[in-house]
Amino acid sequence: MIECIFTIDYEIYGNGEGSLKELVYEPAERLRTIFRKWNARFVAFVEVAELEMIEAKCTDSAIDLIKCQIRDFHKEGFELGLHLHPWWYNARHKNGGWIPDYSEYNLCTLPMGRIVQIIDRSIAYLRRVLGLVNFMPLSYRAGHLLFQPTRTVANVLAERGVKIDSSVYKGGLWHHYHLDYRRALKNGYFWKFTDDVNEPDLQGILLEIPIHTQMVPTQKMFTTKRIGLQHKGSSTTQTGKKMLNRVKDFLRFRYPLKFDLCQMSLKELIGIVDEVFLEDQQNPTLFRPIVAIGHTKDLVDFETLKLFLSYLEKKRIPLSTFQSVYPRCIF
Ligand SMILES: [Zn+2]
């Protein structure tokens, strides 16, 4: 039994470049129209730190459109997840650009007090935007998918009422930030965890439904589409050490290809689904929610997306949300 959850990270470029209208509002609007036509819903992972800072410094007049769009999503049954780029909160705006505070890049490595402050602030902003004092997102996605070391952030999120994380991509390895999701390769389609997001724990306080990946020979990573999109949003601060670490990340025979709606070709998207479909035929009673990721800033190829949605329909694979699959994942 397969269901596909479409998640979209709702944000401008991580280094603060780009406009809200062009990189967030307009692509999200087109996506909403397509999903409405299919009578389906997606999960928008709203990166709240940048929105709060952009609003506070009045640096982008499209912020009101964005807030209105978020409210509309909520009203129309699109799911809102919490996404956090913590490097925004101490960012400074100077000479027309943003200077992010990269010392706060990985929320998980910050002191407990700072983690609490940032998470509470982000939820409070989302509540203000929605005008709902009790709103609590069901799901969370870490900035740059960094959810290690896990324990403190997992506890703070669970105490607030968040139930699901979707930051893991099985097989992921990123030396520079000490991210290692290779041990999650042995896990199923979802699992509970507390201390380490890689380690299933039956009594776990959060549920992980990872971004789906497929392990492929490393050279397959370098398609024209993927490289073009990555180049567009590349950060300008690549230090020598960071680059060397990135090279180390790719020195593997097989590499996890993320189920990415924006970066994959139609052939790759279909290949991912067909692989799960074959597994499912062996054991159709097992529940297989598969999470796809995308970014509003990368949403340019709507034709591929529409063809892929038709393919899912042909295969009778429903489009779902975390809200809808959650009751079937807890045990
Ligand atoms: Zn992000």
Side-chain angles (χ1 to χ4, degrees):
M1 197 189 347
I2 310 170
E3 289 190 23
C4 197
I5 302 165
F6 279 71
T7 66
I8 188 93
D9 292 7
Y10 187 89
E11 62 192 31
I12 57 171
Y13 294 127
N15 59 6
E17 285 176 8
S19 84
L20 283 173
K21 192 162 185 230
E22 194 187 322
L23 297 181
V24 184
Y25 180 78
E26 284 172 352
E29 209 51 29
R30 286 186 70 183
L31 191 68
R32 167 159 68 158
T33 309
I34 294 171
F35 269 68
R36 272 217 216 99
K37 236 179 232 165
W38 288 84
N39 200 21
R41 295 295 178 263
F42 54 80
V43 180
F45 273 114
V46 178
E47 202 293 285
V48 281
E50 68 194 67
L51 299 182
E52 183 176 344
M53 295 303 289
I54 288 170
E55 184 173 12
K57 301 281 177 194
C58 305
T59 59
D60 192 324
S61 58
I63 186 72
D64 290 331
L65 274 177
I66 290 287
K67 286 161 71 183
C68 197
Q69 190 177 50
I70 295 172
R71 283 191 287 273
D72 285 351
F73 279 162
H74 185 62
K75 271 187 229 142
E76 292 175 14
F78 290 91
E79 189 174 329
L80 302 177
L82 177 68
H83 184 41
L84 253 178
H85 289 180
W87 56 91
W88 270 92
Y89 283 126
N90 285 336
R92 286 175 302 131
H93 194 257
K94 216 176 153 189
N95 303 327
W98 285 98
I99 307 167
D101 178 7
Y102 290 126
S103 72
E104 294 202 330
Y105 201 68
N106 182 357
L107 184 67
C108 298
T109 56
L110 301 183
M112 164 92 171
R114 184 64 179 145
I115 292 174
V116 168
Q117 217 176 36
I118 287 180
I119 290 177
D120 284 344
R121 182 174 176 177
S122 65
I123 294 170
Y125 182 75
L126 210 43
R127 287 175 170 174
R128 275 206 306 282
V129 169
L130 291 170
L132 298 169
V133 287
N134 293 318
F135 175 79
M136 185 54 64
L138 181 70
S139 55
Y140 170 76
R141 173 167 291 156
H144 237 135
L145 310 178
L146 299 170
F147 205 176
Q148 284 175 320
T150 306
R151 189 189 300 161
T152 312
V153 172
N155 270 286
V156 176
L157 289 170
E159 275 166 18
R160 303 299 179 277
V162 173
K163 307 280 187 209
I164 297 172
D165 173 68
S166 188
S167 305
V168 169
Y169 56 111
K170 289 182 184 179
L173 180 64
W174 195 1
H175 285 96
H176 191 77
Y177 291 104
H178 308 288
L179 175 149
D180 190 346
Y181 293 146
R182 286 176 299 178
R183 278 190 298 132
L185 280 165
K186 63 182 184 338
N187 300 351
Y189 282 84
F190 51 88
W191 61 91
K192 285 184 184 170
F193 68 94
T194 301
D195 291 338
D196 179 356
V197 72
N198 278 327
E199 278 302 312
D201 166 5
L202 285 176
Q203 308 303 320
I205 55 173
L206 283 183
L207 178 75
E208 179 64 31
I209 310 182
I211 298 157
H212 189 75
T213 54
Q214 184 182 41
M215 296 303 283
V216 298
T218 301
Q219 72 268 21
K220 273 203 169 185
M221 287 298 297
F222 303 104
T223 65
T224 330
K225 187 170 182 181
R226 201 165 295 116
I227 288 169
L229 285 168
Q230 277 165 3
H231 190 70
K232 246 174 79 186
S234 66
S235 148
T236 47
T237 52
Q238 285 280 13
T239 62
K241 192 177 166 215
K242 203 170 170 184
M243 272 165 71
L244 190 69
N245 275 327
R246 209 64 190 127
V247 170
K248 264 163 72 187
D249 295 338
F250 283 99
L251 287 178
R252 305 160 70 183
F253 293 114
R254 282 156 69 77
Y255 196 88
L257 194 59
K258 288 191 206 90
F259 183 20
D260 191 313
L261 294 175
C262 306
Q263 298 201 353
M264 281 184 153
S265 65
L266 183 63
K267 197 173 154 212
E268 286 175 325
L269 290 167
I270 288 176
I272 286 248
V273 167
D274 283 352
E275 190 182 64
V276 183
F277 196 79
L278 275 176
E279 257 183 56
D280 193 60
Q281 282 182 323
Q282 311 295 319
N283 180 7
T285 53
L286 184 73
F287 185 42
R288 294 175 166 84
I290 53 170
V291 175
I293 189 173
H295 290 79
T296 51
K297 61 197 175 203
D298 290 344
L299 260 178
V300 280
D301 185 0
F302 290 92
E303 280 321 298
T304 293
L305 183 68
K306 284 187 221 165
L307 290 169
F308 183 56
L309 292 181
S310 303
Y311 187 75
L312 288 180
E313 189 177 55
K314 202 174 94 191
K315 288 277 185 188
R316 295 176 193 276
I317 296 175
L319 294 166
S320 207
T321 58
F322 290 123
Q323 240 141 25
S324 137
V325 302
Y326 182 64
R328 285 168 287 160
C329 298
I330 43 172
F331 37 85

